[in-house]
């Protein structure tokens, strides 16, 4: 398998910049989405690069991680233009759309089949509720890095969005859900048990925030846990709810998982 050279990574950077540029035009919502997703992608790349280096990956392997990060959300741009939503359930799977765009545009044609497959598969898997058993271990490893980087940035953005008065409503953080803190009892039970909760079950913003907090159960590396803890993401999300023993209990269990994750040994399996 040949490696992803610095020059090839720069070509992917250039393609990404050119691909997203036209989506900056349009009404306020379109421009807001373009800015949000463009800068999110660049931050995810930076976070993923840091995670990769911390895990001892080589420079070439780290560049592969960066390429996946740059391409992981390209589907978000046409998704919003076509459907005016980032809610996959009400539009289309943005990861599958992104993979198709990368294939059709020939972005990875200069890469060997092995690297190309890894990048494309990681793009497709980055947003799935759970990762499939029997997947190529190399794909799983890269995908976990991207999923962690994606969650770290989104946890930071969403927790801060809900920690202060919302003067400007941002669709990406609300998904058109009903306003209010109401949460179904089964939601509490599933989040505390560390179960995967599907976006399809969401009805209220209260449930959305709890689902986001529950991402703690789907983080993979100690350095990722430490980044989330440093950002006080769980603390900020908890403050966004009114006083509630149930909320205290579920956030207590999530905080315990966060602290335990910070102490775990690194695993690359």
């Amino acid at each position: 398998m040949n490696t992803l050279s610095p020059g090839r990574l720069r070509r992917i950077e250039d393609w990404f910049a050119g691909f997203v540029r036209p989506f900056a035009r349009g009404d306020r919502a379109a421009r807001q989405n373009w800015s949000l997703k463009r800068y999110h992608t660049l931050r995810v790349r930076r976070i993923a690069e840091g995670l990769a280096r911390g895990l001892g990956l080589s420079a070439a392997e780290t560049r592969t991680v960066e390429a996946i990060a740059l391409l992981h959300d390209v589907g978000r741009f046409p998704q919003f233009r076509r459907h005016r939503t980032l809610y996959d359930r009400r539009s289309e799977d943005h990861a599958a759309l992104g993979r198709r765009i990368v294939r059709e545009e020939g972005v990875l044609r200069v890469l060997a089949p092995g690297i190309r497959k890894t990048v494309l598969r990681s793009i497709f898997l980055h947003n799935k509720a759970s990762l499939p058993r029997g997947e190529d271990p190399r794909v799983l490893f890269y995908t976990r890095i991207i999923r962690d980087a994606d969650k770290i940035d989104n946890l930071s953005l969403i927790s801060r969005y809900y920690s202060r008065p919302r003067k400007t409503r941002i669709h990406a953080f609300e998904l058109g859900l009903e306003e209010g803190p109401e949460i179904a009892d089964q939601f509490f039970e599933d989040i505390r048990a560390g179960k995967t909760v599907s976006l399809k079950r969401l009805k209220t913003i209260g449930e959305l925030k709890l689902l986001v907090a529950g991402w703690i159960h789907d983080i993979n590396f100690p350095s990722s846990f430490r980044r989330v803890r440093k950002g006080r993401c769980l603390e900020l999300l908890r403050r966004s709810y009114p006083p509630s023993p149930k909320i205290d209990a579920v956030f207590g269990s999530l905080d315990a998982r966060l602290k335990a994750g910070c102490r775990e040994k690194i695993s690359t399996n």
Side-chain angles (χ1 to χ4, degrees):
M1 180 185 291
N2 70 341
T3 59
L4 203 164
S5 67
R8 286 170 176 154
L9 180 59
R10 282 193 295 273
R11 284 198 285 274
I12 293 173
E13 292 172 348
D14 292 342
W15 177 86
F16 173 78
F19 175 78
V20 304
R21 190 174 297 118
F23 294 94
R25 298 189 289 268
D27 60 18
R28 178 181 178 183
R31 295 194 304 272
Q32 183 186 69
N33 179 71
W34 172 81
S35 179
L36 180 71
K37 287 304 172 183
R38 176 176 176 270
Y39 286 109
H40 165 70
T41 296
L42 298 178
R43 288 191 302 270
V44 169
R45 178 196 179 173
R46 186 172 65 249
I47 294 167
E49 179 188 13
L51 293 176
R53 293 187 183 281
L55 289 166
L57 271 65
S58 68
E61 291 169 328
T62 299
R63 287 192 292 270
T64 299
V65 169
E66 291 181 74
I68 298 167
L70 279 168
L71 301 172
H72 84 284
D73 259 0
V74 295
R76 286 299 197 191
F77 298 90
Q79 178 191 40
F80 190 81
R81 173 175 284 181
R82 296 172 187 174
H83 306 284
R84 303 297 291 183
T85 183
L86 297 175
Y87 197 179
D88 286 10
R89 182 187 177 193
R90 296 176 183 169
S91 55
E92 56 188 311
D93 182 340
H94 75 276
L97 175 59
R99 180 180 63 173
R100 185 165 69 249
I101 290 168
V102 171
R103 278 176 169 167
E104 292 175 353
E105 294 274 334
V107 183
L108 308 176
R109 61 179 175 270
V110 297
L111 302 182
I115 294 182
R116 189 160 60 242
K117 174 185 174 183
T118 295
V119 173
L120 289 170
R121 187 66 175 158
S122 297
I123 293 169
F124 177 74
L125 291 175
H126 89 269
N127 71 330
K128 301 301 177 281
S130 58
L131 296 176
R133 295 183 178 181
E135 183 62 66
D136 181 339
R138 183 180 182 85
V139 170
L140 287 177
F141 182 54
Y142 282 122
T143 302
R144 287 182 176 121
I145 294 174
I146 298 304
R147 284 165 70 92
D148 274 18
D150 199 20
K151 287 182 173 67
I152 289 166
D153 190 59
N154 279 322
L155 269 164
S156 177
L157 290 172
I158 294 171
S159 63
R160 279 156 181 74
Y161 176 73
Y162 284 108
S163 70
R164 52 184 178 263
R166 285 170 281 157
K167 296 179 180 179
T168 301
R169 305 289 290 272
I170 299 179
H171 170 81
F173 299 150
E174 298 188 8
L175 301 180
L177 297 169
E178 299 173 15
E179 188 71 56
E182 294 79 14
I183 300 172
D185 288 341
Q186 190 62 46
F187 241 84
F188 283 108
E189 296 175 16
D190 289 348
I191 294 294
R192 289 193 68 178
K195 294 182 180 179
T196 300
V197 178
S198 171
L199 282 169
K200 295 179 181 180
R201 291 172 52 188
L202 292 178
K203 294 182 179 179
T204 70
I205 285 177
E207 291 176 342
L208 172 62
K209 291 187 293 184
L210 196 60
L211 180 148
V212 170
W215 286 345
I216 292 299
H217 289 295
D218 192 32
I219 287 178
N220 298 279
F221 304 105
S223 55
S224 303
F225 283 106
R226 289 192 287 270
R227 283 174 178 258
V228 173
R229 189 177 185 187
K230 183 178 180 180
R232 300 169 47 242
C233 300
L234 290 185
E235 178 185 338
L236 293 174
L237 282 170
R238 171 62 190 93
R239 289 181 182 177
S240 72
Y241 288 95
S244 164
K246 282 188 175 181
I247 289 291
D248 287 341
V250 73
F251 272 91
S253 68
L254 292 173
D255 189 58
R257 175 68 192 110
L258 177 62
K259 291 176 180 176
C262 292
R263 299 190 297 267
E264 288 175 355
K265 294 181 179 181
I266 292 176
S267 173
T268 59
N269 296 324

